[in-house]
Amino acid sequence: MWFYRSPTVVYGDDALSFLESIDMKAVLIVTDRNISKSGILEKVKAHIFSPSVETIDYIKEEPSVDEINDAVEKIGNFKPDTIIGLGGGSSMDAAKVILFRLSRPDLDFFDLTPLSYLGIKKNHKFIAIPTTAGTGSECSWAAVVTDRNDGRKAEMASPEIMPDFAILDPSMVSGMPAEVRRNTATDALTHAIEAYVSTWKNPYSDSLAREAVMLITSGCAKLHDDPENMEYNSMVQIGASMAGSAFSNSQIGLAHALGHAFGAVFHKPHGLSVGIFLPRVIEFNDVSCHDRYEEINSFFSTDLRKENLEESVKSFLKFMGLPLYVEDAGIDVDEYMTRKKVVADLCFESTGIIGNPRDVSRSDIDKILSDMIHK
Amino acid sequence: MVKFPSKEWMDLYVERLKSNDIYKDSARDWEGDITFVCRADGPLKNDIAMWLDLYHGECRDARYFQNASDAPKSAFRYIGPFGNWVKLIQGQIDPLQGVLTGKFKLEGPMMKIMRYTKAAKELVRTASKIDTEF
Ligand SMILES: [Fe+2]
């Protein structure tokens, strides 16, 4: 027995106008400063006819437990019936945890796990509007929060924090800065590949992952020379949400376990952090899932496809301008060697490890981490 | 072949767990006893319990209770009917998916478990390697 879970996905031209058909009385929008300054927030608000709209527009990248608690405190007595997460993964993930905190103030922050029923959405509608094409958070029931107390990324999850609606309007992503685009697209590609070989894979996640790889790699190849093109942006945006849905219904794997740990220790963006490990993880896992890797490789854009998945991913990373070694990510080798034990410790705590197709031991992790520097 | 559930099976399980280096490593900070409760179902006529005192990757003590209600209170309890235990040990149910699908119930601080999913998987893998008769 297993499940297939998904929000209602509204996509394509003018998808934002769907907001007008949702009955909302009091709306809380969770977003970041860039979105509010860029005019995107106003564009979204233009489709909300509710008399009461409050905005939290100071969600930072990789939000922390304290920042989210602080936001909940500032919401005070405002009682929204609708919560909108607007932005990249950080804003959408923060909105998920705020939804949990508002619904269940009686519980502890870290009680947000999938292991028991929490009764979260009884009084709320939850809408996610991504402004990046990558994290897939709009289609997932996971949220990553930085726990600064012990320097780790807490992987929080519950089917109850899955958005009711994911609104994918290509106009939201066409102006994305190049660096954000390369990181988020790489994150999305990693979601699709890891979901496809996870021990939790299933026919639903398989079909989403295959289509996602095709849309993400073809879309990115085409966007290179025409970054504002709506059709190509829409391809990557839809591919990223499919990849989000794929891993949400299957599991992330070792590249995410390593990437979360690496990102927490070296403060690098999530997409870069998972992407840098993906070729090594494919090499490591290949013995356990060679045929699956061959299958998913066949869905790569012909512009970027190589003779095997590891090489295709490397060609994708190079094409996107992302590093394959830690020195190329601007990390000092000595510092890396000193702190890689912390990365290994954190990696071992990640839920990404349990769904990985090949069993991972401490020495396997040490070996992969050691291989991340130029010889 | 050792029969499940029985004290003999539990003793063999503890022995195997002690020699499982991946478990030791993934549970090296773990502190908390756990009770496996096997509910009466099919051939099993009453609820039984296996209590394990797990500490820093070691199993310091283990006790078998023919009557689950005699088991001491523990930090965690993993509870399921006999039929699902059989599937778990045979590798047909993933320990975490077992909870997500309601085949098993987990009691205790959930977030702590979420940080030790690797250790939880090793606990089950160790069981699946025992030549078990049901
Ligand atoms: Fe990710």
Side-chain angles (χ1 to χ4, degrees), chain A residues 1-3 110 113-116 150 152 154-155 199-200 345 348-351 353-354 359-360 362, chain B residues 22 25-26 28 94 96-97 99-103 106 110-111 113-118 121-122 125:
Chain A
M1 177 167 99
W2 194 230
F3 314 95
F110 291 109
T113 79
L115 302 177
S116 54
D150 53 7
R152 55 189 281 275
E155 295 160 356
T199 54
W200 290 23
D345 287 345
F348 231 54
E349 283 182 10
S350 167
T351 47
I353 277 209
I354 53 161
D359 247 352
V360 191
R362 168 74 57 160
Chain B
I22 300 181
D25 202 21
S26 50
R28 63 182 173 176
D94 173 284
L96 198 56
Q97 281 183 320
V99 178
L100 297 176
T101 51
K103 292 187 190 303
L106 179 66
M110 304 298 183
M111 193 59 198
I113 288 273
M114 293 304 289
R115 287 177 65 175
Y116 290 90
T117 48
K118 173 78 177 159
K121 200 170 175 181
E122 283 308 315
R125 188 191 306 277

Side-chain angles (χ1 to χ4, degrees), chain B:
Chain B
M1 287 278 238
V2 198
K3 194 162 175 54
F4 177 91
S6 66
K7 182 175 183 311
E8 194 192 2
W9 187 93
M10 183 193 74
D11 290 341
L12 188 59
Y13 173 74
V14 170
E15 207 176 284
R16 297 275 173 89
L17 194 61
K18 282 179 178 167
S19 57
N20 181 336
D21 289 337
I22 300 181
Y23 171 72
K24 272 187 197 165
D25 202 21
S26 50
R28 63 182 173 176
D29 305 318
W30 175 270
E31 293 176 8
D33 51 355
I34 184 162
T35 308
F36 294 147
V37 179
C38 186
R39 291 253 189 253
D41 172 35
L44 188 70
K45 299 302 173 205
N46 62 299
D47 298 355
I48 68 95
M50 289 176 270
W51 172 83
L52 306 175
D53 178 13
L54 303 175
Y55 187 84
H56 292 194
E58 298 293 334
C59 182
R60 298 191 299 194
D61 195 6
R63 281 183 240 160
Y64 185 84
F65 296 90
Q66 193 58 49
N67 196 333
S69 56
D70 294 337
K73 258 193 177 323
S74 57
F76 296 92
R77 275 159 48 101
Y78 192 70
I79 308 156
F82 173 74
N84 289 346
W85 275 101
V86 173
K87 287 182 183 158
L88 185 83
I89 292 168
Q90 290 176 337
Q92 293 166 30
I93 297 180
D94 173 284
L96 198 56
Q97 281 183 320
V99 178
L100 297 176
T101 51
K103 292 187 190 303
F104 283 88
K105 204 172 137 198
L106 179 66
E107 293 173 355
M110 304 298 183
M111 193 59 198
K112 188 169 169 183
I113 288 273
M114 293 304 289
R115 287 177 65 175
Y116 290 90
T117 48
K118 173 78 177 159
K121 200 170 175 181
E122 283 308 315
L123 281 175
V124 172
R125 188 191 306 277
T126 306
S128 66
K129 285 186 178 154
I130 295 176
D131 198 3
T132 304
E133 168 191 358
F134 297 101

Side-chain angles (χ1 to χ4, degrees), chain A residues 275-276 279-280 313-314 317-318 322-326 328 371-372:
Chain A
I276 200 168
R280 271 77 177 185
V313 168
K314 283 181 182 168
L317 292 171
K318 280 182 201 155
L322 281 172
L324 294 168
Y325 294 93
V326 293
D328 304 333
D371 286 346
M372 295 304 297

Side-chain angles (χ1 to χ4, degrees), chain A residues 19-203:
Chain A
L19 284 171
E20 296 166 18
S21 66
I22 304 176
D23 179 30
M24 306 183 243
K25 299 207 166 45
V27 182
L28 174 70
I29 302 176
V30 179
T31 191
D32 65 60
R33 287 258 190 265
N34 289 336
I35 298 295
S36 73
K37 278 190 201 151
S38 68
I40 291 179
L41 175 62
E42 286 312 310
K43 206 171 156 184
V44 170
K45 276 183 168 176
H47 295 283
I48 298 172
F49 302 140
S50 160
S52 174
V53 180
E54 295 275 329
T55 305
I56 290 171
D57 69 351
Y58 44 83
I59 298 300
K60 293 191 184 130
E61 237 178 84
E62 327 249 307
S64 70
V65 174
D66 291 344
E67 285 153 15
I68 288 173
N69 280 337
D70 188 50
V72 170
E73 209 166 290
K74 290 209 171 98
I75 293 163
N77 292 327
F78 182 63
K79 299 252 181 291
D81 70 337
T82 304
I83 296 175
I84 298 178
L86 169 67
S90 299
S91 290
M92 290 187 282
D93 284 4
K96 288 174 179 175
V97 184
I98 287 170
L99 165 72
F100 162 66
R101 299 295 279 157
L102 291 180
S103 308
R104 294 298 307 266
D106 53 315
L107 294 181
D108 189 73
F109 196 98
F110 291 109
D111 285 335
L112 180 58
T113 79
L115 302 177
S116 54
Y117 174 69
L118 300 167
I120 288 178
K121 273 199 290 191
K122 282 182 191 153
N123 302 314
H124 299 93
K125 283 188 271 294
F126 183 31
I127 302 166
I129 308 175
T131 59
T132 63
T135 68
S137 180
E138 69 277 10
C139 285
S140 89
W141 43 280
V144 179
V145 175
T146 306
D147 186 354
R148 298 210 207 285
N149 285 334
D150 53 7
R152 55 189 281 275
K153 300 231 172 138
E155 295 160 356
M156 307 177 85
S158 163
E160 298 174 56
I161 56 170
M162 163 95 74
D164 300 303
F165 298 100
I167 299 183
L168 311 178
D169 191 314
S171 72
M172 294 277 103
V173 296
S174 58
M176 224 189 323
E179 195 193 339
V180 176
R181 182 187 304 285
R182 73 171 72 105
N183 281 318
T184 52
T186 303
D187 184 25
L189 180 66
T190 312
H191 291 155
I193 292 172
E194 299 217 281
Y196 198 67
V197 295
S198 163
T199 54
W200 290 23
K201 64 184 180 295
N202 56 74

